[in-house]
Amino acid sequence: MSVVPKYLTHYPNMDSELPFHLKVNRLLHGFESHRHDYLEFSYVIAGHGYETINGVRHIMQPGTFTLVMPYQFHEIQSEPGTPLTLYNCNFGIHLYSPSEPLPGIDWLSAEAQLPPFMQVDDPDEQHRFQTVLEELYEEYTGTAPWRHSLIKAKLTEVLVRFDRLRRSLQQPDITAPSAIQDRRKPRDSVWKVIQFIHTNYREDLTLSGLAERFGFSVPYLSELFKKAVGQNFVTFVHDVRIRQACGLLISTEMSVLDIALESGYGSYNTFARIFRESKGMTPAAYRKSHWPQPSGAE
């Protein structure tokens, strides 16, 4: 019987003002096959093993940097006796505003088929990566003023260094092999729609409207959507909107009604119903459960 990969829906700080999490993990055995709708990068410090992304396997060893895009299936295996130690970072698509492209990555072009990993072998380049990751971790675990701004700046530097280096290491004959093109074509096509939803969730979004905008038939887009994200269109749109609402509830003092409108819901009753179905509580209760308790509170 085949094993269905887990669909992870949360990571620490996901619903906060800064949807970013970084830690150093030591994997004795690895991490089972899974996917999620946020981005993830890893950088190996020690140990040896393997990682599989959408069925393609590569070696992991000191200096291996991997960037996993949303909805990709991936798993990690450590070799016996040489557990992997690596930086692991999760961050949301919405960390960068709609006017800011993800640094160094163009998801909508053919270059999105660049390999999702690279091996940093040059000692000087390894030192640069190690240094910026140490600085990023120090900021993330600290409390200094302007830490959010510096965290984002350091993250941008990491992504740009990764993309520059992997482009410099690319061979002309492997940038877009036909086998990879055929396997990825449906997901690359529908990704235009997925990115549009992430950046335009406030609009009145319908499957028929998006199909017309991007040149799909409605049944075909519906099929591609389920294959790409494992959810139907309506559920996915609600998830994106509720995630935005959670961030606003925690990080602002906006009224719940204003948050409903800001998250793309024209009706407060609809927003409250969908939120309760998703989170198991009302928006007000969710906000209260995440706000700091007064000193001395039990």
Side-chain angles (χ1 to χ4, degrees):
M1 179 182 294
S2 61
V3 178
V4 178
K6 285 187 175 182
Y7 182 31
L8 304 183
T9 59
H10 290 79
Y11 61 90
N13 298 328
M14 185 187 77
D15 295 327
S16 68
E17 183 181 357
L18 186 76
F20 174 92
H21 176 64
L22 177 66
K23 69 179 298 185
V24 176
N25 286 320
R26 187 170 186 266
L27 304 180
L28 293 177
H29 304 290
F31 198 93
E32 62 188 316
S33 182
H34 64 287
R35 65 179 182 139
H36 39 68
D37 65 356
Y38 44 87
L39 294 108
E40 176 180 358
F41 80 71
S42 62
Y43 182 80
V44 179
I45 304 170
H48 290 79
Y50 300 90
E51 182 172 35
T52 303
I53 301 177
N54 282 354
V56 180
R57 193 186 196 203
H58 68 262
I59 295 173
M60 298 190 83
Q61 57 190 0
T64 302
F65 188 102
T66 304
L67 177 64
V68 178
M69 303 299 283
Y71 312 109
Q72 290 184 324
F73 294 98
H74 56 290
E75 64 178 311
I76 296 176
Q77 296 174 306
S78 292
E79 289 188 348
T82 58
L84 287 163
T85 301
L86 67 167
Y87 282 98
N88 186 262
C89 178
N90 306 123
F91 59 101
I93 295 173
H94 50 296
L95 181 62
Y96 292 89
S97 72
S99 61
E100 298 176 286
L102 184 67
I105 311 296
D106 183 355
W107 293 342
L108 305 185
S109 74
E111 292 179 341
Q113 295 179 21
L114 286 165
F117 73 96
M118 66 171 186
Q119 180 60 39
V120 185
D121 288 325
D122 179 77
D124 291 337
E125 196 64 43
Q126 278 195 5
H127 178 71
R128 293 188 189 99
F129 266 94
Q130 189 85 12
T131 298
V132 70
L133 286 169
E134 289 172 354
E135 292 171 350
L136 180 58
Y137 188 73
E138 182 179 356
E139 285 298 324
Y140 178 66
T141 56
T143 58
W146 303 102
R147 58 185 288 269
H148 286 188
S149 297
L150 198 50
I151 286 170
K152 185 174 176 180
K154 292 292 181 183
L155 172 62
T156 299
E157 180 179 353
V158 169
L159 296 176
V160 168
R161 286 191 177 279
F162 160 68
D163 194 56
R164 284 179 176 176
L165 187 56
R166 71 169 172 173
R167 288 173 188 271
S168 71
L169 298 175
Q170 271 301 93
Q171 298 297 322
D173 60 338
I174 64 172
T175 53
S178 58
I180 293 179
Q181 283 183 320
D182 292 342
R183 184 174 67 247
R184 289 178 53 93
K185 186 176 179 181
R187 291 187 58 135
D188 284 346
S189 298
V190 76
W191 180 253
K192 295 181 181 180
V193 183
I194 294 171
Q195 189 190 39
F196 183 86
I197 293 170
H198 271 282
T199 55
N200 295 275
Y201 57 85
R202 298 179 186 87
E203 297 183 12
D204 182 18
L205 300 173
T206 64
L207 187 62
S208 59
L210 291 173
E212 181 178 359
R213 172 185 284 269
F214 291 98
F216 293 100
S217 70
V218 172
Y220 186 54
L221 178 57
S222 178
E223 178 185 354
L224 291 180
F225 214 93
K226 290 178 182 178
K227 288 181 179 179
V229 304
Q231 297 175 298
N232 65 40
F233 169 77
V234 172
T235 301
F236 177 76
V237 172
H238 284 317
D239 280 356
V240 172
R241 288 173 171 169
I242 294 302
R243 177 166 294 185
Q244 171 68 12
C246 288
L248 293 174
L249 286 165
I250 293 172
S251 62
T252 76
E253 296 184 359
M254 293 172 62
S255 70
V256 175
L257 176 58
D258 286 342
I259 288 175
L261 298 174
E262 179 66 20
S263 301
Y265 291 97
S267 163
Y268 170 79
N269 289 336
T270 299
F271 168 66
R273 175 176 59 82
I274 298 298
F275 192 98
R276 190 179 187 97
E277 290 174 356
S278 175
K279 298 298 181 182
M281 63 181 75
T282 66
Y286 183 88
R287 167 177 272 173
K288 185 176 181 180
S289 70
H290 285 76
W291 275 10
Q293 295 296 314
S295 178
E298 306 230 342

